[in-house]
Amino acid sequence: MANAEKWVLTVTAQTPTNIAVIKYWGKGDEDLILPINDSISVTLDPDHLCTTTSVAVSPAFTHDRMWLNGKEVSLSGGRFQNCLREVRSCANDVEDEKEGVLKSLKGLGDLHVHMCPTIDFPTAAGLASSAAGLACLVFSLAKLMNVKEDHSRLSAIARQGSGSACRSLYGGFVNGSFLKEENGSDSIAVQLADEKHWDDLVIIIAVVSSRQKETSSTSGMRETVETSMLLQHRAKEVVPERIIQMEEAIKNRDFPAFARLTCADSNQFHAVCLDTLPPIFYMNDTSHRIISCVEKWNCSEGTPQVAYTFDAGPKCRINFTQTEKLLPNFFKGCSFHFPPNSDTDLNSYVIGDQTILQDAGIKDLKDIEALSTPPETKENLSAQKYRGDVSYFICTKPGRGPAVVNDESRSLINPEFGLPK
Ligand code: DP6
């Protein structure tokens, strides 16, 4: 390719985040990021939570560069390098038409790239931003380099960036499968059902206020693998059975089974964290209160209507509920127990799909203050309020997988120079 040609080719893509209902915790191989057990996740609606990445390739670039949320960061990390190398190895020539001139661009895999990932949701939410970020990077680079391989190959590449990232290559309900090959080529994500399969599933994320210092999932799971005997039992005996049951629950849209498995798996994940030496505490008092509220609510309803799951960030606490009729009441219960601080406005207390507010008859903060004792407290359980303990809620639902953004005005890279806008 003639170096005099200073063309810049760009692609922008959006990728959702996901939350695991059967958790991945522990690697068999740290470099290849081979999980020790399968996991199952739900992809969240990218209209509410996603990452956007613009990437560019050009013969004019002198080295690979990345700007995360607009700020240049080092690319020395092995995980990024592995993903980049793998995508490059699958690159194909591309035909590009700009201003009516058709150009055949060859050898894209040998050129340097510029990458501009942005996380479009508050990182304080503690959601798996690395999962969505890595998946988005792999997906957008693959589009840029005209990679013909399917999403399962891309998921194996994204897995080498972050174990949970492989699941963000698909929408809906996804299994991050760990199979047999030592090189990890068959450790890929598989879509179990798309997002339309169970579209009355509602996901509420309670972002808990916390100043707790975080143990990263990478180092946390390493310590668990080294010290917890419970983890071995979990990976060999418990998870394989749960995966089969969870796949069945999803296939049949069996919410009580889905809820029981989700809560049990979240609790066992935190039990293996406690079984680690030194123990890892991801949940705090507010998390425990949320669990207790959900358990009491389900008990008063007679069958599980809500599920909770908590990941490895101290600030991320996630609930599911299903029945549209019950949702407004459940949400009223949440806002009764965890009302916002007086300096919070309603639009920052509930983000994402705000219809939940109208359905619950909440028009302003006064309506929250006026809420009466929620139903699960009938049996004389605590009616106590924990003001400000939940900073805000994000309401969302299962969503689609990654997509290219064709609207050039949304690109984060200047198409002329290949630098951040
Ligand atoms: C608790 O995928 O963040 O969210 O592979 O080291 O990058 P690395 O870890 P990561 O771990 C996610 C752990 C989890 C469970 C899950 O998402 O399955």
Side-chain angles (χ1 to χ4, degrees):
M1 193 178 303
N3 229 13
E5 277 186 79
K6 297 292 184 195
W7 51 264
V8 176
L9 189 65
T10 67
V11 163
T12 299
Q14 262 191 344
T15 304
T17 186
N18 70 77
I19 51 165
V21 288
I22 302 291
K23 309 285 184 200
Y24 139 59
W25 194 251
K27 299 179 187 71
D29 183 309
E30 285 260 346
D31 295 328
L32 287 170
I33 310 196
L34 292 184
I36 59 167
N37 60 256
D38 282 17
S39 55
I40 294 183
S41 62
V42 182
T43 298
L44 305 185
D45 189 344
D47 287 346
H48 303 138
L49 296 160
C50 73
T51 59
T52 305
T53 298
S54 293
V55 287
V57 61
S58 167
F61 297 165
T62 54
H63 56 290
D64 296 330
R65 296 173 76 181
M66 184 191 285
W67 291 263
L68 177 62
N69 290 334
K71 199 165 163 249
E72 185 152 16
V73 291
S74 150
L75 264 179
S76 54
R79 291 176 171 209
F80 279 126
Q81 295 298 347
N82 291 348
C83 290
L84 254 174
R85 187 194 60 238
E86 295 284 313
V87 178
R88 279 186 166 129
S89 71
C90 307
N92 287 294
D93 300 346
V94 65
E95 305 265 282
D96 183 46
E97 187 174 353
K98 274 219 183 93
E99 288 139 20
V101 185
L102 191 66
K103 283 191 273 182
S104 177
L105 310 178
K106 299 196 178 100
L108 292 180
D110 298 328
L111 300 177
H112 292 294
V113 289
H114 285 181
M115 299 164 277
C116 289
T118 53
I119 313 287
D120 297 346
F121 54 90
T123 44
L127 289 160
S129 49
S130 67
L134 258 312
C136 201
L137 204 62
V138 169
F139 179 78
S140 51
L141 285 169
K143 292 291 165 197
L144 181 73
M145 297 191 187
N146 197 20
V147 169
K148 301 271 187 347
E149 273 77 356
D150 61 15
H151 278 206
S152 73
R153 171 82 182 107
L154 297 187
S155 76
I157 298 178
R159 192 207 68 240
Q160 296 182 52
S162 183
S164 52
C166 70
R167 300 183 309 235
S168 273
L169 261 304
Y170 293 99
F173 301 82
V174 185
N175 182 332
S177 299
F178 167 57
L179 295 171
K180 292 173 210 71
E181 293 296 330
E182 277 186 12
N183 67 3
S185 57
D186 57 356
S187 286
I188 54 170
V190 178
Q191 188 181 49
L192 301 172
D194 70 17
E195 62 281 10
K196 290 185 215 84
H197 169 71
W198 202 348
D199 56 4
D200 60 347
L201 196 70
V202 176
I203 299 159
I204 303 174
I205 301 165
V207 181
V208 171
S209 317
S210 167
R211 289 208 193 90
Q212 198 177 314
K213 191 176 175 296
E214 223 170 298
T215 305
S216 79
S217 35
T218 304
S219 64
M221 70 176 82
R222 184 181 305 129
E223 286 161 20
T224 307
V225 168
E226 281 165 9
T227 61
S228 167
M229 273 161 62
L230 183 56
L231 183 72
Q232 304 310 324
H233 170 69
R234 168 178 162 74
K236 285 202 186 72
E237 311 293 335
V238 181
V239 175
E241 187 67 19
R242 269 190 194 154
I243 291 281
I244 296 169
Q245 293 169 350
M246 184 58 101
E247 290 191 355
E248 203 55 22
I250 291 171
K251 190 168 125 215
N252 300 326
R253 292 188 288 262
D254 175 351
F255 191 78
F258 176 86
R260 270 191 284 269
L261 289 162
T262 300
C263 299
D265 204 69
S266 171
N267 290 335
Q268 191 179 65
F269 155 55
H270 291 279
V272 299
C273 290
L274 272 183
D275 193 45
T276 301
L277 205 69
I280 308 169
F281 306 98
Y282 283 123
M283 295 200 279
N284 64 13
D285 287 353
T286 310
S287 331
H288 296 143
R289 279 182 200 122
I290 291 174
I291 291 181
S292 157
C293 278
V294 171
E295 294 286 356
K296 283 168 194 164
W297 172 276
N298 284 341
C299 200
S300 73
E301 291 294 327
T303 162
Q305 305 289 345
V306 184
Y308 52 81
T309 183
F310 293 79
D311 271 342
K315 296 179 182 172
C316 175
R317 317 288 180 245
I318 301 167
N319 304 300
F320 292 83
T321 185
Q322 183 200 25
T323 321
E324 268 175 38
K325 211 159 48 100
L326 291 175
L327 181 64
N329 271 345
F330 174 71
F331 186 72
K332 278 193 226 168
C334 291
S335 11
F336 173 86
H337 287 299
F338 305 104
N341 283 323
S342 51
D343 57 353
T344 310
D345 67 54
L346 201 55
N347 282 328
S348 40
Y349 180 58
V350 177
I351 62 175
D353 180 359
Q354 293 183 319
T355 51
I356 197 167
L357 285 170
Q358 286 103 62
D359 294 347
I362 298 173
K363 285 187 227 61
D364 58 42
L365 293 179
K366 282 198 277 304
D367 297 327
I368 293 179
E369 297 308 322
L371 288 171
S372 55
T373 320
E376 86 277 13
T377 57
K378 270 187 226 143
E379 295 154 36
N380 121 53
L381 302 161
S382 150
Q384 212 168 330
K385 292 183 184 247
Y386 302 95
R387 187 173 301 283
D389 281 6
V390 172
S391 310
Y392 57 96
F393 293 95
I394 307 172
C395 295
T396 186
K397 56 185 193 327
R400 61 179 190 276
V404 169
V405 177
N406 289 317
D407 176 356
E408 284 219 357
S409 69
R410 290 173 63 199
S411 170
L412 306 160
I413 288 188
N414 176 316
E416 204 179 337
F417 306 109
L419 291 167
K421 277 183 180 168

